Amino acid sequence: MQPDVKLADPAKRSMLLTALYIAQEQYGYLTKDAIERVANRLDLTVSDVYSMASFYTLYRTKATGRYVLQVCEGLSCHLVGGADRLVDYLCKKLRIKVGQTTEDGLFTLQTVQCLASCGTSPAMRVNDALYENMTAEKVDELLETLRGYHV
Ligand code: FES
């Protein structure tokens, strides 16, 4: 399917990306309603808005936990042995598989391709924040910190 001709306009695309970000902050993720509202506001089709939302890993189109842990599985992270090791560690630590959310609703684990932090791999992102040179110890500290906000 061809994208809406309006999305060829860089200013329109920029507005769309910003609107999606704001909607995600308000709704927690990009619900069907959120996508329809953004489409209506920017005079775009729901299909084009959804296509854009599902293309970028920054956007969530499904319900997630409070913290979305995205482990990079890109080449640089893979070559330093980080990706598989971190994913395995997080799966064991959180008792979930990739794509799942912990029972307490705090953490969702995902894998993504390149977080643009290849020089400091292995990298992972938690919501909007990037974490570099990750180790099991750093993961432990990070999870402890995040859980500390909810005791
Ligand atoms: S490959 Fe992991 S940050 Fe680029």
Side-chain angles (χ1 to χ4, degrees), residues 95-141:
R95 297 179 183 170
I96 56 174
K97 294 177 182 168
V98 173
Q100 295 181 332
T101 300
T102 54
E103 268 184 34
D104 60 7
L106 272 186
F107 302 107
T108 297
L109 180 60
Q110 299 176 343
T111 56
V112 294
Q113 292 299 312
C114 197
L115 291 170
S117 183
C118 306
T120 55
S121 56
M124 64 184 283
R125 184 168 57 201
V126 180
N127 296 352
D128 295 343
L130 180 68
Y131 295 86
E132 303 162 300
N133 299 309
M134 290 308 287
T135 61
E137 293 76 26
K138 285 185 169 182
V139 166
D140 286 344
E141 285 175 27

Side-chain angles (χ1 to χ4, degrees), residues 21 24-25 28-30 52-74 77-78 82-91 94 96-101 106-117 120-135 139 142-143 146:
Y21 183 83
Q24 182 168 274
E25 287 295 302
Y29 71 103
L30 293 170
M52 194 68 93
S54 58
F55 178 77
Y56 291 100
T57 58
L58 178 66
Y59 301 117
R60 301 184 295 272
T61 55
K62 292 181 179 151
T64 61
R66 174 70 185 84
Y67 300 105
V68 179
L69 312 175
Q70 294 181 317
V71 178
C72 177
E73 284 193 318
C77 290
H78 184 73
D84 294 341
R85 191 168 35 84
L86 285 178
V87 169
D88 289 348
Y89 188 74
L90 280 161
C91 284
L94 299 173
I96 56 174
K97 294 177 182 168
V98 173
Q100 295 181 332
T101 300
L106 272 186
F107 302 107
T108 297
L109 180 60
Q110 299 176 343
T111 56
V112 294
Q113 292 299 312
C114 197
L115 291 170
S117 183
T120 55
S121 56
M124 64 184 283
R125 184 168 57 201
V126 180
N127 296 352
D128 295 343
L130 180 68
Y131 295 86
E132 303 162 300
N133 299 309
M134 290 308 287
T135 61
V139 166
L142 179 58
L143 295 178
L146 296 174

Side-chain angles (χ1 to χ4, degrees), residues 5-18:
V5 71
K6 292 171 192 162
L7 284 179
D9 175 3
K12 192 78 160 184
R13 272 202 317 273
S14 178
M15 283 190 284
L16 172 56
L17 296 175
T18 302

Side-chain angles (χ1 to χ4, degrees), residues 37-54:
R37 292 183 84 170
V38 169
N40 288 339
R41 279 294 179 102
L42 297 179
D43 191 27
L44 295 168
T45 67
V46 169
S47 166
D48 281 339
V49 172
Y50 181 79
S51 293
M52 194 68 93
S54 58

